[in-house]
Short mmCIF file of all heavy atoms in Angstrom, two decimals:
data_model
loop_
_atom_site.label_atom_id
_atom_site.label_comp_id
_atom_site.label_asym_id
_atom_site.label_seq_id
_atom_site.Cartn_x
_atom_site.Cartn_y
_atom_site.Cartn_z
N ILE L 26 -18.79 3.44 -7.48
CA ILE L 26 -17.46 2.87 -7.64
C ILE L 26 -17.27 1.71 -6.65
O ILE L 26 -16.81 0.62 -7.02
CB ILE L 26 -16.36 3.92 -7.40
CG1 ILE L 26 -16.42 5.04 -8.44
CG2 ILE L 26 -14.98 3.27 -7.40
CD1 ILE L 26 -15.95 4.68 -9.81
N GLN L 28 -19.47 -0.17 -5.23
CA GLN L 28 -20.30 -1.32 -5.62
C GLN L 28 -19.65 -2.11 -6.75
O GLN L 28 -19.67 -3.34 -6.76
CB GLN L 28 -21.69 -0.84 -6.04
CG GLN L 28 -22.55 -0.35 -4.89
CD GLN L 28 -23.85 0.29 -5.37
OE1 GLN L 28 -24.25 0.13 -6.52
NE2 GLN L 28 -24.51 1.02 -4.48
N LYS L 45 -2.92 -19.04 5.90
CA LYS L 45 -1.66 -19.74 5.66
C LYS L 45 -0.52 -19.18 6.50
O LYS L 45 0.54 -19.80 6.59
CB LYS L 45 -1.28 -19.64 4.17
CG LYS L 45 -2.33 -20.21 3.21
CD LYS L 45 -2.44 -21.71 3.33
CE LYS L 45 -3.58 -22.25 2.46
NZ LYS L 45 -3.39 -21.98 1.04
N PHE L 61 7.20 -4.28 -0.20
CA PHE L 61 7.26 -3.55 -1.47
C PHE L 61 5.99 -2.73 -1.69
O PHE L 61 6.04 -1.67 -2.31
CB PHE L 61 7.50 -4.52 -2.63
CG PHE L 61 8.92 -5.04 -2.67
CD1 PHE L 61 9.27 -6.20 -1.99
CD2 PHE L 61 9.89 -4.35 -3.36
CE1 PHE L 61 10.58 -6.66 -2.00
CE2 PHE L 61 11.21 -4.79 -3.39
CZ PHE L 61 11.56 -5.96 -2.70
N THR L 81 7.60 23.05 -5.68
CA THR L 81 8.79 23.66 -6.29
C THR L 81 8.85 25.13 -5.93
O THR L 81 7.89 25.69 -5.38
CB THR L 81 8.74 23.52 -7.83
OG1 THR L 81 7.54 24.15 -8.32
CG2 THR L 81 8.74 22.05 -8.25
N GLU L 98 -1.90 16.50 4.91
CA GLU L 98 -2.21 15.83 6.18
C GLU L 98 -1.75 14.37 6.13
O GLU L 98 -1.18 13.85 7.09
CB GLU L 98 -3.72 15.89 6.45
CG GLU L 98 -4.17 17.16 7.14
CD GLU L 98 -3.73 17.19 8.59
OE1 GLU L 98 -4.13 16.33 9.37
OE2 GLU L 98 -2.95 18.10 8.92
N SER L 114 9.13 8.84 12.63
CA SER L 114 9.61 7.93 11.59
C SER L 114 8.56 7.83 10.49
O SER L 114 7.37 8.03 10.73
CB SER L 114 9.87 6.54 12.18
OG SER L 114 10.19 5.61 11.17
N SER L 115 9.02 7.50 9.29
CA SER L 115 8.06 7.20 8.22
C SER L 115 7.46 5.82 8.49
O SER L 115 8.07 4.98 9.18
CB SER L 115 8.75 7.20 6.86
OG SER L 115 9.61 6.08 6.73
N PHE L 117 7.17 3.48 6.36
CA PHE L 117 8.03 2.50 5.71
C PHE L 117 9.17 2.08 6.64
O PHE L 117 9.44 0.89 6.81
CB PHE L 117 8.60 3.08 4.41
CG PHE L 117 9.64 2.21 3.76
CD1 PHE L 117 9.30 1.00 3.19
CD2 PHE L 117 10.98 2.61 3.74
CE1 PHE L 117 10.27 0.19 2.59
CE2 PHE L 117 11.94 1.82 3.15
CZ PHE L 117 11.59 0.60 2.57
N ALA L 123 9.94 -3.26 12.27
CA ALA L 123 9.08 -4.38 12.69
C ALA L 123 9.55 -5.68 12.07
O ALA L 123 9.52 -6.74 12.72
CB ALA L 123 7.63 -4.09 12.31
N ILE L 134 14.63 -5.79 -0.07
CA ILE L 134 14.08 -4.45 -0.31
C ILE L 134 15.21 -3.42 -0.32
O ILE L 134 15.21 -2.50 -1.14
CB ILE L 134 13.00 -4.08 0.73
CG1 ILE L 134 12.43 -2.67 0.46
CG2 ILE L 134 13.51 -4.16 2.16
CD1 ILE L 134 11.66 -2.53 -0.81
N ILE L 147 13.04 3.34 -12.41
CA ILE L 147 12.30 2.34 -11.63
C ILE L 147 11.93 1.12 -12.47
O ILE L 147 11.97 -0.01 -12.00
CB ILE L 147 11.04 2.96 -10.98
CG1 ILE L 147 10.31 1.94 -10.10
CG2 ILE L 147 10.10 3.53 -12.03
CD1 ILE L 147 11.13 1.41 -8.94
N VAL L 149 13.56 -0.18 -15.04
CA VAL L 149 14.76 -1.01 -15.22
C VAL L 149 15.02 -1.81 -13.95
O VAL L 149 15.33 -3.00 -14.00
CB VAL L 149 15.98 -0.14 -15.58
CG1 VAL L 149 17.27 -0.97 -15.53
CG2 VAL L 149 15.80 0.48 -16.96
N PHE L 163 2.91 -5.82 -9.80
CA PHE L 163 2.32 -4.90 -8.84
C PHE L 163 3.06 -3.56 -8.87
O PHE L 163 2.45 -2.49 -8.97
CB PHE L 163 2.40 -5.53 -7.45
CG PHE L 163 1.79 -4.70 -6.35
CD1 PHE L 163 0.45 -4.84 -6.02
CD2 PHE L 163 2.55 -3.79 -5.63
CE1 PHE L 163 -0.13 -4.07 -5.01
CE2 PHE L 163 2.00 -3.03 -4.61
CZ PHE L 163 0.65 -3.17 -4.31
N LEU L 190 -8.84 -0.20 1.59
CA LEU L 190 -8.82 -1.60 2.00
C LEU L 190 -8.01 -1.87 3.25
O LEU L 190 -8.23 -2.86 3.93
CB LEU L 190 -8.24 -2.45 0.85
CG LEU L 190 -9.18 -2.73 -0.31
CD1 LEU L 190 -8.39 -3.30 -1.47
CD2 LEU L 190 -10.27 -3.68 0.10
N ILE L 191 -7.07 -1.01 3.54
CA ILE L 191 -6.12 -1.28 4.61
C ILE L 191 -6.76 -1.62 5.95
O ILE L 191 -6.37 -2.61 6.58
CB ILE L 191 -5.11 -0.13 4.75
CG1 ILE L 191 -4.09 -0.22 3.60
CG2 ILE L 191 -4.40 -0.14 6.10
CD1 ILE L 191 -3.15 0.96 3.51
N SER L 212 5.48 -6.67 18.80
CA SER L 212 4.91 -5.41 19.29
C SER L 212 5.00 -4.28 18.26
O SER L 212 4.04 -3.53 18.07
CB SER L 212 5.61 -4.98 20.58
OG SER L 212 7.01 -4.87 20.39
N ILE L 215 2.51 -5.13 15.31
CA ILE L 215 1.12 -4.91 15.71
C ILE L 215 0.84 -3.42 15.86
O ILE L 215 -0.22 -2.94 15.44
CB ILE L 215 0.82 -5.67 17.03
CG1 ILE L 215 0.82 -7.18 16.75
CG2 ILE L 215 -0.52 -5.24 17.61
CD1 ILE L 215 0.69 -8.05 17.98
N ILE L 237 -11.10 12.09 -4.24
CA ILE L 237 -11.61 11.55 -5.50
C ILE L 237 -12.81 12.36 -5.99
O ILE L 237 -12.89 12.74 -7.16
CB ILE L 237 -12.04 10.07 -5.34
CG1 ILE L 237 -10.82 9.18 -5.09
CG2 ILE L 237 -12.81 9.59 -6.56
CD1 ILE L 237 -9.99 8.88 -6.29
N LEU L 240 -11.69 15.72 -7.31
CA LEU L 240 -10.94 15.64 -8.56
C LEU L 240 -11.83 15.31 -9.76
O LEU L 240 -11.59 15.78 -10.88
CB LEU L 240 -9.83 14.60 -8.46
CG LEU L 240 -8.64 14.96 -7.57
CD1 LEU L 240 -7.70 13.77 -7.41
CD2 LEU L 240 -7.88 16.16 -8.15
N GLU L 250 -12.53 6.43 -15.67
CA GLU L 250 -11.10 6.11 -15.56
C GLU L 250 -10.74 5.73 -14.13
O GLU L 250 -9.92 4.82 -13.91
CB GLU L 250 -10.26 7.31 -16.03
CG GLU L 250 -10.33 7.52 -17.54
CD GLU L 250 -9.65 8.79 -18.01
OE1 GLU L 250 -9.48 9.73 -17.19
OE2 GLU L 250 -9.30 8.85 -19.20
N LEU L 277 4.58 -25.56 3.41
CA LEU L 277 3.37 -26.20 3.88
C LEU L 277 3.30 -27.65 3.47
O LEU L 277 2.83 -28.52 4.20
CB LEU L 277 2.15 -25.44 3.34
CG LEU L 277 1.94 -24.03 3.89
CD1 LEU L 277 0.83 -23.33 3.12
CD2 LEU L 277 1.61 -24.05 5.36
#
Side-chain angles (χ1 to χ4, degrees):
I26 296 287
Q28 288 172 15
K45 302 292 175 61
F61 286 90
T81 58
E98 275 288 298
S114 174
S115 71
F117 172 70
I134 180 66
I147 184 61
V149 170
F163 182 89
L190 283 168
I191 284 172
S212 56
I215 290 173
I237 292 283
L240 288 173
E250 289 173 338
L277 292 171

